[in-house]
Amino acid sequence: MEKLEQLYEGKAKKVFKTAEPDVLIVSYKDDATAFNGEKKGTIVGKGAINNRMTNHLFKLLEKKGVPTHFIEELNDRETAVKAVEIVPLEVIVRNYSAGSFAKKLGMEEGIKLKTPTLEFSYKDDDLGDPFINGYYALALDLATQEEIDKIASYAFKVNETLINYFDNLGIDLIDFKIEFGRYKKDIILADEISPDTCRLWDKNTHEKLDKDRFRRDLGGVEDAYAEVFRRLGIN
Ligand code: TMP
């Protein structure tokens, strides 16, 4: 499949047109940012790991009944995907206290929540992706009630599937962020699922195996990504 002109360059990926209007090529970069782009760096090998991990998990999720944008992995860094219109919501599911949740509620990190939570951020870099609820999403015309209901139901299905999947790899899924797109009047999972977008802690040692190592200058960033990838057993 041939890459035509670049449509968009984001913080972690580039998106290219193809000869088919419904198909795009996503190219994953090694660039890493945090705090809305204020902190910048490189995580060597991240692009390939995130590409291959996302595709692996999206194939699993398809089998579990969650439709995704995945079409075909083209090479280590590049994947053909369905051209969606991204719903401008960051959909965050949490199983344990961590990050902004722990800070906001004055909690220690790593406390198991009684039930998983679901929250939305409005995807707008100028505003710093503010926390909103479903009523805001409706009022701002970001999504319909039917879309929000579908998104919530898919998000919990993704959570259930990934908790089990990572548990078998000796990893606790602390929380994650996903994004959805509109495709032929349906809602499908888009973007990525990777150590950039999940908190993944080793079950036994509670060592962080995700982008928090970069965000918080903990060191061993590349090793953490490589360890998650090794446990996936894709190679
Ligand atoms: P938070 O605790 O900082 O709100 O993050 C919740 C989850 O969302 C965590 O797994 C990291 C992920 N995340 C992103 O993927 N992109 C972002 O821009 C932010 C802030 C968090």
Side-chain angles (χ1 to χ4, degrees), residues 162-210:
L162 295 187
I163 286 175
N164 285 324
Y165 182 78
F166 284 119
D167 185 58
N168 284 320
L169 308 182
I171 290 172
D172 282 327
L173 177 63
I174 304 301
D175 57 30
F176 62 89
K177 185 271 296 179
I178 48 180
E179 296 182 21
F180 292 87
R182 300 185 179 100
Y183 184 74
K184 301 188 194 243
K185 305 204 175 201
D186 225 334
I187 287 286
I188 67 177
L189 184 64
D191 197 51
E192 66 179 281
I193 300 181
S194 71
D196 272 15
T197 62
C198 301
R199 286 196 173 92
L200 303 169
W201 293 6
D202 181 89
K203 261 178 108 62
N204 297 317
T205 64
H206 307 301
E207 192 190 348
K208 293 176 173 45
L209 300 172
D210 57 63

Side-chain angles (χ1 to χ4, degrees), residues 127-188:
L127 299 174
D129 299 338
F131 185 103
I132 61 166
N133 64 22
Y135 292 101
Y136 280 42
L138 283 175
L140 297 171
D141 201 20
L142 306 179
T144 65
Q145 186 64 56
E146 198 188 349
E147 287 175 334
I148 293 170
D149 291 345
K150 248 187 203 174
I151 285 172
S153 146
Y154 284 147
F156 285 123
K157 183 75 194 172
V158 169
N159 188 43
E160 194 187 296
T161 304
L162 295 187
I163 286 175
N164 285 324
Y165 182 78
F166 284 119
D167 185 58
N168 284 320
L169 308 182
I171 290 172
D172 282 327
L173 177 63
I174 304 301
D175 57 30
F176 62 89
K177 185 271 296 179
I178 48 180
E179 296 182 21
F180 292 87
R182 300 185 179 100
Y183 184 74
K184 301 188 194 243
K185 305 204 175 201
D186 225 334
I187 287 286
I188 67 177

